[in-house]
Amino acid sequence: MEEADDVAGTFATDGALGFDPILFLRALHEAGSQAVVVGQVAGIMHGSMELTGDLDLLWDGTPEQAHALRGALAAAGCTDLPDLGRSQVAYQVASAGGDLCTPALPWGDMDTASCLARAVSARDPEGFTIRYAALDDLIHMRRALGRPKDRRRADELARLRP
């Protein structure tokens, strides 16, 4: 997969072709994973108009959740299971890819562990739940990362606040 650009983001890369995160999101639900969607897919769920080609997830790093995450990855067609002992690792399933991050990954002054508890959820019409970062947490994450695309996306999300 071609790397995302700090300005344009992943949608401008070949890796966005065929991007469809639904299969993996359903597999996460069915495996009992409590992973939270972060990054631009979470932004889209809050109303962002900027597209993406990757699905980034935050999870707690516990052995129980690692087991659930491995099950979801396998169910969604991952043929090369990533090392879930790392604070950030790339993954690829049949129709999506991105990063799996734990709270051990440094996010500046942000406590990402608390984002897991504050996550919001949406129920898909087919009956599975998608957990994603709360709007203020997502804005804070974007600003903590500070790349041009993150600043632009944080500004857009701030304008979407009710």
Side-chain angles (χ1 to χ4, degrees):
M1 175 169 27
E2 189 178 331
E3 290 297 313
D5 179 281
D6 283 349
V7 176
T10 330
F11 188 68
T13 70
D14 291 341
L17 296 174
F19 176 68
D20 181 1
I22 296 299
L23 174 70
F24 188 42
L25 291 168
R26 182 182 299 120
L28 289 166
H29 171 85
E30 291 172 355
S33 172
Q34 294 298 305
V36 171
V37 176
V38 295
Q40 190 54 17
V41 171
I44 291 167
M45 295 187 75
H46 283 292
S48 173
M49 298 302 291
E50 191 168 326
L51 299 176
T52 189
D54 67 347
L55 176 65
D56 298 324
L57 300 169
L58 177 66
W59 66 289
D60 67 8
T62 64
E64 297 79 21
Q65 284 300 303
H67 179 76
L69 199 48
R70 278 188 204 93
L73 286 162
C78 181
T79 57
D80 186 18
L81 290 176
D83 177 4
L84 297 179
R86 297 175 49 203
S87 62
Q88 180 179 13
V89 64
Y91 75 93
Q92 184 68 48
V93 295
S95 60
D99 290 316
L100 303 171
C101 306
T102 71
L105 182 68
W107 292 75
D109 66 346
M110 183 167 192
D111 171 22
T112 56
S114 60
C115 296
L116 294 167
R118 287 191 300 268
V120 293
S121 61
R123 191 131 176 102
D124 180 83
E126 293 182 20
F128 66 92
T129 300
I130 300 168
R131 298 182 72 230
Y132 58 103
L135 183 58
D136 286 339
D137 286 335
L138 189 56
I139 292 168
H140 192 167
M141 285 177 181
R142 291 286 190 200
R143 291 200 170 126
L145 291 170
R147 299 169 296 192
K149 69 178 181 179
D150 294 307
R151 289 192 305 269
R152 180 182 70 243
R153 290 170 173 173
D155 291 344
E156 179 197 25
L157 291 171
R159 290 189 300 271
L160 294 172
R161 279 188 178 121

mmCIF file with all atom_site columns, all heavy atoms in Angstrom, residues 36-65:
data_model
loop_
_atom_site.group_PDB
_atom_site.id
_atom_site.type_symbol
_atom_site.label_atom_id
_atom_site.label_alt_id
_atom_site.label_comp_id
_atom_site.label_asym_id
_atom_site.label_entity_id
_atom_site.label_seq_id
_atom_site.pdbx_PDB_ins_code
_atom_site.Cartn_x
_atom_site.Cartn_y
_atom_site.Cartn_z
_atom_site.occupancy
_atom_site.B_iso_or_equiv
_atom_site.pdbx_formal_charge
_atom_site.auth_seq_id
_atom_site.auth_comp_id
_atom_site.auth_asym_id
_atom_site.auth_atom_id
_atom_site.pdbx_PDB_model_num
ATOM 1   N N   . VAL A 1 36 ? -11.971 1.211   18.741 1.00 0.00 ? 36 VAL A N   1
ATOM 2   C CA  . VAL A 1 36 ? -12.664 2.458   18.429 1.00 0.00 ? 36 VAL A CA  1
ATOM 3   C C   . VAL A 1 36 ? -12.084 3.021   17.131 1.00 0.00 ? 36 VAL A C   1
ATOM 4   O O   . VAL A 1 36 ? -10.863 3.134   16.986 1.00 0.00 ? 36 VAL A O   1
ATOM 5   C CB  . VAL A 1 36 ? -12.490 3.471   19.587 1.00 0.00 ? 36 VAL A CB  1
ATOM 6   C CG1 . VAL A 1 36 ? -13.013 4.838   19.216 1.00 0.00 ? 36 VAL A CG1 1
ATOM 7   C CG2 . VAL A 1 36 ? -13.174 2.947   20.847 1.00 0.00 ? 36 VAL A CG2 1
ATOM 8   N N   . VAL A 1 37 ? -12.954 3.369   16.207 1.00 0.00 ? 37 VAL A N   1
ATOM 9   C CA  . VAL A 1 37 ? -12.523 3.988   14.956 1.00 0.00 ? 37 VAL A CA  1
ATOM 10  C C   . VAL A 1 37 ? -12.017 5.398   15.270 1.00 0.00 ? 37 VAL A C   1
ATOM 11  O O   . VAL A 1 37 ? -12.684 6.175   15.946 1.00 0.00 ? 37 VAL A O   1
ATOM 12  C CB  . VAL A 1 37 ? -13.683 4.044   13.945 1.00 0.00 ? 37 VAL A CB  1
ATOM 13  C CG1 . VAL A 1 37 ? -13.258 4.776   12.667 1.00 0.00 ? 37 VAL A CG1 1
ATOM 14  C CG2 . VAL A 1 37 ? -14.193 2.638   13.622 1.00 0.00 ? 37 VAL A CG2 1
ATOM 15  N N   . VAL A 1 38 ? -10.825 5.697   14.794 1.00 0.00 ? 38 VAL A N   1
ATOM 16  C CA  . VAL A 1 38 ? -10.248 7.041   14.907 1.00 0.00 ? 38 VAL A CA  1
ATOM 17  C C   . VAL A 1 38 ? -9.875  7.474   13.485 1.00 0.00 ? 38 VAL A C   1
ATOM 18  O O   . VAL A 1 38 ? -10.199 6.794   12.522 1.00 0.00 ? 38 VAL A O   1
ATOM 19  C CB  . VAL A 1 38 ? -9.036  7.078   15.864 1.00 0.00 ? 38 VAL A CB  1
ATOM 20  C CG1 . VAL A 1 38 ? -9.463  6.746   17.297 1.00 0.00 ? 38 VAL A CG1 1
ATOM 21  C CG2 . VAL A 1 38 ? -7.927  6.132   15.424 1.00 0.00 ? 38 VAL A CG2 1
ATOM 22  N N   . GLY A 1 39 ? -9.194  8.579   13.344 1.00 0.00 ? 39 GLY A N   1
ATOM 23  C CA  . GLY A 1 39 ? -8.788  9.013   12.016 1.00 0.00 ? 39 GLY A CA  1
ATOM 24  C C   . GLY A 1 39 ? -9.963  9.519   11.213 1.00 0.00 ? 39 GLY A C   1
ATOM 25  O O   . GLY A 1 39 ? -11.028 9.862   11.742 1.00 0.00 ? 39 GLY A O   1
ATOM 26  N N   . GLN A 1 40 ? -9.792  9.531   9.905  1.00 0.00 ? 40 GLN A N   1
ATOM 27  C CA  . GLN A 1 40 ? -10.774 10.183  9.043  1.00 0.00 ? 40 GLN A CA  1
ATOM 28  C C   . GLN A 1 40 ? -12.084 9.428   8.927  1.00 0.00 ? 40 GLN A C   1
ATOM 29  O O   . GLN A 1 40 ? -13.125 10.030  8.707  1.00 0.00 ? 40 GLN A O   1
ATOM 30  C CB  . GLN A 1 40 ? -10.187 10.473  7.666  1.00 0.00 ? 40 GLN A CB  1
ATOM 31  C CG  . GLN A 1 40 ? -11.056 11.349  6.798  1.00 0.00 ? 40 GLN A CG  1
ATOM 32  C CD  . GLN A 1 40 ? -11.469 12.668  7.440  1.00 0.00 ? 40 GLN A CD  1
ATOM 33  O OE1 . GLN A 1 40 ? -10.888 13.121  8.413  1.00 0.00 ? 40 GLN A OE1 1
ATOM 34  N NE2 . GLN A 1 40 ? -12.505 13.283  6.904  1.00 0.00 ? 40 GLN A NE2 1
ATOM 35  N N   . VAL A 1 41 ? -12.091 8.105   9.094  1.00 0.00 ? 41 VAL A N   1
ATOM 36  C CA  . VAL A 1 41 ? -13.371 7.399   9.074  1.00 0.00 ? 41 VAL A CA  1
ATOM 37  C C   . VAL A 1 41 ? -14.234 7.895   10.242 1.00 0.00 ? 41 VAL A C   1
ATOM 38  O O   . VAL A 1 41 ? -15.426 8.139   10.082 1.00 0.00 ? 41 VAL A O   1
ATOM 39  C CB  . VAL A 1 41 ? -13.194 5.867   9.093  1.00 0.00 ? 41 VAL A CB  1
ATOM 40  C CG1 . VAL A 1 41 ? -14.529 5.162   9.305  1.00 0.00 ? 41 VAL A CG1 1
ATOM 41  C CG2 . VAL A 1 41 ? -12.557 5.395   7.785  1.00 0.00 ? 41 VAL A CG2 1
ATOM 42  N N   . ALA A 1 42 ? -13.629 8.097   11.413 1.00 0.00 ? 42 ALA A N   1
ATOM 43  C CA  . ALA A 1 42 ? -14.384 8.683   12.533 1.00 0.00 ? 42 ALA A CA  1
ATOM 44  C C   . ALA A 1 42 ? -14.844 10.090  12.175 1.00 0.00 ? 42 ALA A C   1
ATOM 45  O O   . ALA A 1 42 ? -15.972 10.485  12.495 1.00 0.00 ? 42 ALA A O   1
ATOM 46  C CB  . ALA A 1 42 ? -13.528 8.695   13.801 1.00 0.00 ? 42 ALA A CB  1
ATOM 47  N N   . GLY A 1 43 ? -13.980 10.847  11.492 1.00 0.00 ? 43 GLY A N   1
ATOM 48  C CA  . GLY A 1 43 ? -14.376 12.185  11.051 1.00 0.00 ? 43 GLY A CA  1
ATOM 49  C C   . GLY A 1 43 ? -15.587 12.140  10.137 1.00 0.00 ? 43 GLY A C   1
ATOM 50  O O   . GLY A 1 43 ? -16.525 12.939  10.275 1.00 0.00 ? 43 GLY A O   1
ATOM 51  N N   . ILE A 1 44 ? -15.603 11.203  9.216  1.00 0.00 ? 44 ILE A N   1
ATOM 52  C CA  . ILE A 1 44 ? -16.736 11.043  8.304  1.00 0.00 ? 44 ILE A CA  1
ATOM 53  C C   . ILE A 1 44 ? -17.997 10.705  9.087  1.00 0.00 ? 44 ILE A C   1
ATOM 54  O O   . ILE A 1 44 ? -19.087 11.202  8.803  1.00 0.00 ? 44 ILE A O   1
ATOM 55  C CB  . ILE A 1 44 ? -16.415 9.982   7.236  1.00 0.00 ? 44 ILE A CB  1
ATOM 56  C CG1 . ILE A 1 44 ? -15.330 10.509  6.288  1.00 0.00 ? 44 ILE A CG1 1
ATOM 57  C CG2 . ILE A 1 44 ? -17.662 9.566   6.468  1.00 0.00 ? 44 ILE A CG2 1
ATOM 58  C CD1 . ILE A 1 44 ? -14.702 9.458   5.397  1.00 0.00 ? 44 ILE A CD1 1
ATOM 59  N N   . MET A 1 45 ? -17.860 9.870   10.112 1.00 0.00 ? 45 MET A N   1
ATOM 60  C CA  . MET A 1 45 ? -19.027 9.506   10.919 1.00 0.00 ? 45 MET A CA  1
ATOM 61  C C   . MET A 1 45 ? -19.579 10.708  11.680 1.00 0.00 ? 45 MET A C   1
ATOM 62  O O   . MET A 1 45 ? -20.759 10.731  12.038 1.00 0.00 ? 45 MET A O   1
ATOM 63  C CB  . MET A 1 45 ? -18.680 8.337   11.836 1.00 0.00 ? 45 MET A CB  1
ATOM 64  C CG  . MET A 1 45 ? -18.374 7.088   11.022 1.00 0.00 ? 45 MET A CG  1
ATOM 65  S SD  . MET A 1 45 ? -18.154 5.616   11.989 1.00 0.00 ? 45 MET A SD  1
ATOM 66  C CE  . MET A 1 45 ? -19.849 5.263   12.413 1.00 0.00 ? 45 MET A CE  1
ATOM 67  N N   . HIS A 1 46 ? -18.740 11.709  11.890 1.00 0.00 ? 46 HIS A N   1
ATOM 68  C CA  . HIS A 1 46 ? -19.201 12.952  12.525 1.00 0.00 ? 46 HIS A CA  1
ATOM 69  C C   . HIS A 1 46 ? -19.652 13.994  11.507 1.00 0.00 ? 46 HIS A C   1
ATOM 70  O O   . HIS A 1 46 ? -20.059 15.078  11.890 1.00 0.00 ? 46 HIS A O   1
ATOM 71  C CB  . HIS A 1 46 ? -18.086 13.536  13.401 1.00 0.00 ? 46 HIS A CB  1
ATOM 72  C CG  . HIS A 1 46 ? -17.921 12.832  14.703 1.00 0.00 ? 46 HIS A CG  1
ATOM 73  N ND1 . HIS A 1 46 ? -18.856 12.874  15.709 1.00 0.00 ? 46 HIS A ND1 1
ATOM 74  C CD2 . HIS A 1 46 ? -16.916 12.045  15.157 1.00 0.00 ? 46 HIS A CD2 1
ATOM 75  C CE1 . HIS A 1 46 ? -18.437 12.169  16.738 1.00 0.00 ? 46 HIS A CE1 1
ATOM 76  N NE2 . HIS A 1 46 ? -17.263 11.643  16.433 1.00 0.00 ? 46 HIS A NE2 1
ATOM 77  N N   . GLY A 1 47 ? -19.545 13.684  10.206 1.00 0.00 ? 47 GLY A N   1
ATOM 78  C CA  . GLY A 1 47 ? -20.022 14.598  9.186  1.00 0.00 ? 47 GLY A CA  1
ATOM 79  C C   . GLY A 1 47 ? -18.971 15.216  8.296  1.00 0.00 ? 47 GLY A C   1
ATOM 80  O O   . GLY A 1 47 ? -19.295 16.052  7.447  1.00 0.00 ? 47 GLY A O   1
ATOM 81  N N   . SER A 1 48 ? -17.717 14.831  8.441  1.00 0.00 ? 48 SER A N   1
ATOM 82  C CA  . SER A 1 48 ? -16.668 15.364  7.574  1.00 0.00 ? 48 SER A CA  1
ATOM 83  C C   . SER A 1 48 ? -16.958 14.986  6.125  1.00 0.00 ? 48 SER A C   1
ATOM 84  O O   . SER A 1 48 ? -17.433 13.893  5.836  1.00 0.00 ? 48 SER A O   1
ATOM 85  C CB  . SER A 1 48 ? -15.300 14.798  7.975  1.00 0.00 ? 48 SER A CB  1
ATOM 86  O OG  . SER A 1 48 ? -14.317 15.198  7.041  1.00 0.00 ? 48 SER A OG  1
ATOM 87  N N   . MET A 1 49 ? -16.626 15.891  5.238  1.00 0.00 ? 49 MET A N   1
ATOM 88  C CA  . MET A 1 49 ? -16.836 15.656  3.811  1.00 0.00 ? 49 MET A CA  1
ATOM 89  C C   . MET A 1 49 ? -15.571 15.167  3.116  1.00 0.00 ? 49 MET A C   1
ATOM 90  O O   . MET A 1 49 ? -15.593 14.865  1.937  1.00 0.00 ? 49 MET A O   1
ATOM 91  C CB  . MET A 1 49 ? -17.321 16.943  3.137  1.00 0.00 ? 49 MET A CB  1
ATOM 92  C CG  . MET A 1 49 ? -18.654 17.435  3.683  1.00 0.00 ? 49 MET A CG  1
ATOM 93  S SD  . MET A 1 49 ? -19.982 16.235  3.531  1.00 0.00 ? 49 MET A SD  1
ATOM 94  C CE  . MET A 1 49 ? -20.201 16.209  1.775  1.00 0.00 ? 49 MET A CE  1
ATOM 95  N N   . GLU A 1 50 ? -14.452 15.088  3.851  1.00 0.00 ? 50 GLU A N   1
ATOM 96  C CA  . GLU A 1 50 ? -13.187 14.690  3.244  1.00 0.00 ? 50 GLU A CA  1
ATOM 97  C C   . GLU A 1 50 ? -13.054 13.167  3.274  1.00 0.00 ? 50 GLU A C   1
ATOM 98  O O   . GLU A 1 50 ? -13.176 12.548  4.329  1.00 0.00 ? 50 GLU A O   1
ATOM 99  C CB  . GLU A 1 50 ? -12.025 15.345  3.989  1.00 0.00 ? 50 GLU A CB  1
ATOM 100 C CG  . GLU A 1 50 ? -10.729 15.197  3.257  1.00 0.00 ? 50 GLU A CG  1
ATOM 101 C CD  . GLU A 1 50 ? -9.640  16.091  3.829  1.00 0.00 ? 50 GLU A CD  1
ATOM 102 O OE1 . GLU A 1 50 ? -9.931  17.197  4.289  1.00 0.00 ? 50 GLU A OE1 1
ATOM 103 O OE2 . GLU A 1 50 ? -8.485  15.627  3.800  1.00 0.00 ? 50 GLU A OE2 1
ATOM 104 N N   . LEU A 1 51 ? -12.790 12.587  2.125  1.00 0.00 ? 51 LEU A N   1
ATOM 105 C CA  . LEU A 1 51 ? -12.713 11.134  2.006  1.00 0.00 ? 51 LEU A CA  1
ATOM 106 C C   . LEU A 1 51 ? -11.375 10.606  2.503  1.00 0.00 ? 51 LEU A C   1
ATOM 107 O O   . LEU A 1 51 ? -10.427 11.344  2.711  1.00 0.00 ? 51 LEU A O   1
ATOM 108 C CB  . LEU A 1 51 ? -12.939 10.735  0.548  1.00 0.00 ? 51 LEU A CB  1
ATOM 109 C CG  . LEU A 1 51 ? -14.287 11.143  -0.023 1.00 0.00 ? 51 LEU A CG  1
ATOM 110 C CD1 . LEU A 1 51 ? -14.362 10.780  -1.493 1.00 0.00 ? 51 LEU A CD1 1
ATOM 111 C CD2 . LEU A 1 51 ? -15.431 10.515  0.752  1.00 0.00 ? 51 LEU A CD2 1
ATOM 112 N N   . THR A 1 52 ? -11.319 9.298   2.672  1.00 0.00 ? 52 THR A N   1
ATOM 113 C CA  . THR A 1 52 ? -10.100 8.632   3.112  1.00 0.00 ? 52 THR A CA  1
ATOM 114 C C   . THR A 1 52 ? -10.007 7.263   2.463  1.00 0.00 ? 52 THR A C   1
ATOM 115 O O   . THR A 1 52 ? -10.974 6.787   1.862  1.00 0.00 ? 52 THR A O   1
ATOM 116 C CB  . THR A 1 52 ? -10.055 8.501   4.648  1.00 0.00 ? 52 THR A CB  1
ATOM 117 O OG1 . THR A 1 52 ? -8.764  8.042   5.036  1.00 0.00 ? 52 THR A OG1 1
ATOM 118 C CG2 . THR A 1 52 ? -11.124 7.545   5.169  1.00 0.00 ? 52 THR A CG2 1
ATOM 119 N N   . GLY A 1 53 ? -8.884  6.634   2.637  1.00 0.00 ? 53 GLY A N   1
ATOM 120 C CA  . GLY A 1 53 ? -8.681  5.284   2.121  1.00 0.00 ? 53 GLY A CA  1
ATOM 121 C C   . GLY A 1 53 ? -8.096  4.360   3.165  1.00 0.00 ? 53 GLY A C   1
ATOM 122 O O   . GLY A 1 53 ? -7.550  3.320   2.838  1.00 0.00 ? 53 GLY A O   1
ATOM 123 N N   . ASP A 1 54 ? -8.204  4.742   4.450  1.00 0.00 ? 54 ASP A N   1
ATOM 124 C CA  . ASP A 1 54 ? -7.722  3.844   5.494  1.00 0.00 ? 54 ASP A CA  1
ATOM 125 C C   . ASP A 1 54 ? -8.636  3.895   6.707  1.00 0.00 ? 54 ASP A C   1
ATOM 126 O O   . ASP A 1 54 ? -9.399  4.830   6.905  1.00 0.00 ? 54 ASP A O   1
ATOM 127 C CB  . ASP A 1 54 ? -6.267  4.120   5.868  1.00 0.00 ? 54 ASP A CB  1
ATOM 128 C CG  . ASP A 1 54 ? -6.047  5.461   6.539  1.00 0.00 ? 54 ASP A CG  1
ATOM 129 O OD1 . ASP A 1 54 ? -6.949  6.308   6.522  1.00 0.00 ? 54 ASP A OD1 1
ATOM 130 O OD2 . ASP A 1 54 ? -4.962  5.664   7.096  1.00 0.00 ? 54 ASP A OD2 1
ATOM 131 N N   . LEU A 1 55 ? -8.573  2.839   7.478  1.00 0.00 ? 55 LEU A N   1
ATOM 132 C CA  . LEU A 1 55 ? -9.381  2.688   8.683  1.00 0.00 ? 55 LEU A CA  1
ATOM 133 C C   . LEU A 1 55 ? -8.428  2.508   9.858  1.00 0.00 ? 55 LEU A C   1
ATOM 134 O O   . LEU A 1 55 ? -7.818  1.451   10.010 1.00 0.00 ? 55 LEU A O   1
ATOM 135 C CB  . LEU A 1 55 ? -10.309 1.468   8.557  1.00 0.00 ? 55 LEU A CB  1
ATOM 136 C CG  . LEU A 1 55 ? -11.147 1.122   9.787  1.00 0.00 ? 55 LEU A CG  1
ATOM 137 C CD1 . LEU A 1 55 ? -12.153 2.232   10.081 1.00 0.00 ? 55 LEU A CD1 1
ATOM 138 C CD2 . LEU A 1 55 ? -11.866 -0.205  9.577  1.00 0.00 ? 55 LEU A CD2 1
ATOM 139 N N   . ASP A 1 56 ? -8.291  3.557   10.665 1.00 0.00 ? 56 ASP A N   1
ATOM 140 C CA  . ASP A 1 56 ? -7.414  3.521   11.831 1.00 0.00 ? 56 ASP A CA  1
ATOM 141 C C   . ASP A 1 56 ? -8.238  3.218   13.074 1.00 0.00 ? 56 ASP A C   1
ATOM 142 O O   . ASP A 1 56 ? -9.344  3.737   13.237 1.00 0.00 ? 56 ASP A O   1
ATOM 143 C CB  . ASP A 1 56 ? -6.692  4.856   11.989 1.00 0.00 ? 56 ASP A CB  1
ATOM 144 C CG  . ASP A 1 56 ? -5.807  5.167   10.796 1.00 0.00 ? 56 ASP A CG  1
ATOM 145 O OD1 . ASP A 1 56 ? -5.209  4.230   10.240 1.00 0.00 ? 56 ASP A OD1 1
ATOM 146 O OD2 . ASP A 1 56 ? -5.716  6.351   10.418 1.00 0.00 ? 56 ASP A OD2 1
ATOM 147 N N   . LEU A 1 57 ? -7.672  2.390   13.943 1.00 0.00 ? 57 LEU A N   1
ATOM 148 C CA  . LEU A 1 57 ? -8.386  1.955   15.148 1.00 0.00 ? 57 LEU A CA  1
ATOM 149 C C   . LEU A 1 57 ? -7.530  2.149   16.384 1.00 0.00 ? 57 LEU A C   1
ATOM 150 O O   . LEU A 1 57 ? -6.309  1.978   16.340 1.00 0.00 ? 57 LEU A O   1
ATOM 151 C CB  . LEU A 1 57 ? -8.749  0.474   15.040 1.00 0.00 ? 57 LEU A CB  1
ATOM 152 C CG  . LEU A 1 57 ? -9.643  0.080   13.870 1.00 0.00 ? 57 LEU A CG  1
ATOM 153 C CD1 . LEU A 1 57 ? -9.705  -1.431  13.742 1.00 0.00 ? 57 LEU A CD1 1
ATOM 154 C CD2 . LEU A 1 57 ? -11.038 0.658   14.060 1.00 0.00 ? 57 LEU A CD2 1
ATOM 155 N N   . LEU A 1 58 ? -8.188  2.492   17.480 1.00 0.00 ? 58 LEU A N   1
ATOM 156 C CA  . LEU A 1 58 ? -7.572  2.574   18.802 1.00 0.00 ? 58 LEU A CA  1
ATOM 157 C C   . LEU A 1 58 ? -8.163  1.438   19.629 1.00 0.00 ? 58 LEU A C   1
ATOM 158 O O   . LEU A 1 58 ? -9.377  1.267   19.672 1.00 0.00 ? 58 LEU A O   1
ATOM 159 C CB  . LEU A 1 58 ? -7.887  3.932   19.440 1.00 0.00 ? 58 LEU A CB  1
ATOM 160 C CG  . LEU A 1 58 ? -7.387  4.162   20.855 1.00 0.00 ? 58 LEU A CG  1
ATOM 161 C CD1 . LEU A 1 58 ? -5.860  4.203   20.897 1.00 0.00 ? 58 LEU A CD1 1
ATOM 162 C CD2 . LEU A 1 58 ? -7.968  5.478   21.402 1.00 0.00 ? 58 LEU A CD2 1
ATOM 163 N N   . TRP A 1 59 ? -7.294  0.677   20.260 1.00 0.00 ? 59 TRP A N   1
ATOM 164 C CA  . TRP A 1 59 ? -7.767  -0.416  21.117 1.00 0.00 ? 59 TRP A CA  1
ATOM 165 C C   . TRP A 1 59 ? -6.930  -0.422  22.382 1.00 0.00 ? 59 TRP A C   1
ATOM 166 O O   . TRP A 1 59 ? -5.884  0.205   22.449 1.00 0.00 ? 59 TRP A O   1
ATOM 167 C CB  . TRP A 1 59 ? -7.725  -1.751  20.363 1.00 0.00 ? 59 TRP A CB  1
ATOM 168 C CG  . TRP A 1 59 ? -6.366  -2.240  20.002 1.00 0.00 ? 59 TRP A CG  1
ATOM 169 C CD1 . TRP A 1 59 ? -5.515  -1.719  19.061 1.00 0.00 ? 59 TRP A CD1 1
ATOM 170 C CD2 . TRP A 1 59 ? -5.673  -3.337  20.584 1.00 0.00 ? 59 TRP A CD2 1
ATOM 171 N NE1 . TRP A 1 59 ? -4.345  -2.441  19.027 1.00 0.00 ? 59 TRP A NE1 1
ATOM 172 C CE2 . TRP A 1 59 ? -4.413  -3.439  19.951 1.00 0.00 ? 59 TRP A CE2 1
ATOM 173 C CE3 . TRP A 1 59 ? -5.993  -4.258  21.586 1.00 0.00 ? 59 TRP A CE3 1
ATOM 174 C CZ2 . TRP A 1 59 ? -3.481  -4.409  20.274 1.00 0.00 ? 59 TRP A CZ2 1
ATOM 175 C CZ3 . TRP A 1 59 ? -5.063  -5.238  21.899 1.00 0.00 ? 59 TRP A CZ3 1
ATOM 176 C CH2 . TRP A 1 59 ? -3.831  -5.298  21.256 1.00 0.00 ? 59 TRP A CH2 1
ATOM 177 N N   . ASP A 1 60 ? -7.389  -1.117  23.423 1.00 0.00 ? 60 ASP A N   1
ATOM 178 C CA  . ASP A 1 60 ? -6.766  -0.987  24.747 1.00 0.00 ? 60 ASP A CA  1
ATOM 179 C C   . ASP A 1 60 ? -5.460  -1.746  24.944 1.00 0.00 ? 60 ASP A C   1
ATOM 180 O O   . ASP A 1 60 ? -4.754  -1.533  25.926 1.00 0.00 ? 60 ASP A O   1
ATOM 181 C CB  . ASP A 1 60 ? -7.757  -1.341  25.850 1.00 0.00 ? 60 ASP A CB  1
ATOM 182 C CG  . ASP A 1 60 ? -8.173  -2.796  25.882 1.00 0.00 ? 60 ASP A CG  1
ATOM 183 O OD1 . ASP A 1 60 ? -7.589  -3.627  25.140 1.00 0.00 ? 60 ASP A OD1 1
ATOM 184 O OD2 . ASP A 1 60 ? -9.103  -3.115  26.658 1.00 0.00 ? 60 ASP A OD2 1
ATOM 185 N N   . GLY A 1 61 ? -5.097  -2.649  24.041 1.00 0.00 ? 61 GLY A N   1
ATOM 186 C CA  . GLY A 1 61 ? -3.825  -3.366  24.152 1.00 0.00 ? 61 GLY A CA  1
ATOM 187 C C   . GLY A 1 61 ? -3.846  -4.564  25.088 1.00 0.00 ? 61 GLY A C   1
ATOM 188 O O   . GLY A 1 61 ? -2.809  -5.191  25.305 1.00 0.00 ? 61 GLY A O   1
ATOM 189 N N   . THR A 1 62 ? -5.001  -4.917  25.643 1.00 0.00 ? 62 THR A N   1
ATOM 190 C CA  . THR A 1 62 ? -5.070  -6.058  26.560 1.00 0.00 ? 62 THR A CA  1
ATOM 191 C C   . THR A 1 62 ? -5.058  -7.380  25.795 1.00 0.00 ? 62 THR A C   1
ATOM 192 O O   . THR A 1 62 ? -5.450  -7.436  24.621 1.00 0.00 ? 62 THR A O   1
ATOM 193 C CB  . THR A 1 62 ? -6.348  -6.009  27.421 1.00 0.00 ? 62 THR A CB  1
ATOM 194 O OG1 . THR A 1 62 ? -7.498  -6.133  26.557 1.00 0.00 ? 62 THR A OG1 1
ATOM 195 C CG2 . THR A 1 62 ? -6.420  -4.721  28.236 1.00 0.00 ? 62 THR A CG2 1
ATOM 196 N N   . PRO A 1 63 ? -4.628  -8.461  26.448 1.00 0.00 ? 63 PRO A N   1
ATOM 197 C CA  . PRO A 1 63 ? -4.637  -9.772  25.780 1.00 0.00 ? 63 PRO A CA  1
ATOM 198 C C   . PRO A 1 63 ? -6.034  -10.187 25.302 1.00 0.00 ? 63 PRO A C   1
ATOM 199 O O   . PRO A 1 63 ? -6.169  -10.774 24.228 1.00 0.00 ? 63 PRO A O   1
ATOM 200 C CB  . PRO A 1 63 ? -4.120  -10.733 26.861 1.00 0.00 ? 63 PRO A CB  1
ATOM 201 C CG  . PRO A 1 63 ? -3.293  -9.878  27.765 1.00 0.00 ? 63 PRO A CG  1
ATOM 202 C CD  . PRO A 1 63 ? -3.986  -8.531  27.770 1.00 0.00 ? 63 PRO A CD  1
ATOM 203 N N   . GLU A 1 64 ? -7.066  -9.876  26.086 1.00 0.00 ? 64 GLU A N   1
ATOM 204 C CA  . GLU A 1 64 ? -8.433  -10.240 25.697 1.00 0.00 ? 64 GLU A CA  1
ATOM 205 C C   . GLU A 1 64 ? -8.830  -9.536  24.397 1.00 0.00 ? 64 GLU A C   1
ATOM 206 O O   . GLU A 1 64 ? -9.403  -10.145 23.491 1.00 0.00 ? 64 GLU A O   1
ATOM 207 C CB  . GLU A 1 64 ? -9.435  -9.885  26.803 1.00 0.00 ? 64 GLU A CB  1
ATOM 208 C CG  . GLU A 1 64 ? -9.233  -10.624 28.108 1.00 0.00 ? 64 GLU A CG  1
ATOM 209 C CD  . GLU A 1 64 ? -8.101  -10.050 28.965 1.00 0.00 ? 64 GLU A CD  1
ATOM 210 O OE1 . GLU A 1 64 ? -7.721  -8.880  28.784 1.00 0.00 ? 64 GLU A OE1 1
ATOM 211 O OE2 . GLU A 1 64 ? -7.589  -10.800 29.814 1.00 0.00 ? 64 GLU A OE2 1
ATOM 212 N N   . GLN A 1 65 ? -8.529  -8.256  24.327 1.00 0.00 ? 65 GLN A N   1
ATOM 213 C CA  . GLN A 1 65 ? -8.883  -7.513  23.123 1.00 0.00 ? 65 GLN A CA  1
ATOM 214 C C   . GLN A 1 65 ? -7.969  -7.872  21.955 1.00 0.00 ? 65 GLN A C   1
ATOM 215 O O   . GLN A 1 65 ? -8.390  -7.825  20.801 1.00 0.00 ? 65 GLN A O   1
ATOM 216 C CB  . GLN A 1 65 ? -8.886  -6.014  23.396 1.00 0.00 ? 65 GLN A CB  1
ATOM 217 C CG  . GLN A 1 65 ? -10.118 -5.561  24.167 1.00 0.00 ? 65 GLN A CG  1
ATOM 218 C CD  . GLN A 1 65 ? -11.406 -5.876  23.415 1.00 0.00 ? 65 GLN A CD  1
ATOM 219 O OE1 . GLN A 1 65 ? -11.595 -5.461  22.282 1.00 0.00 ? 65 GLN A OE1 1
ATOM 220 N NE2 . GLN A 1 65 ? -12.297 -6.625  24.056 1.00 0.00 ? 65 GLN A NE2 1
#
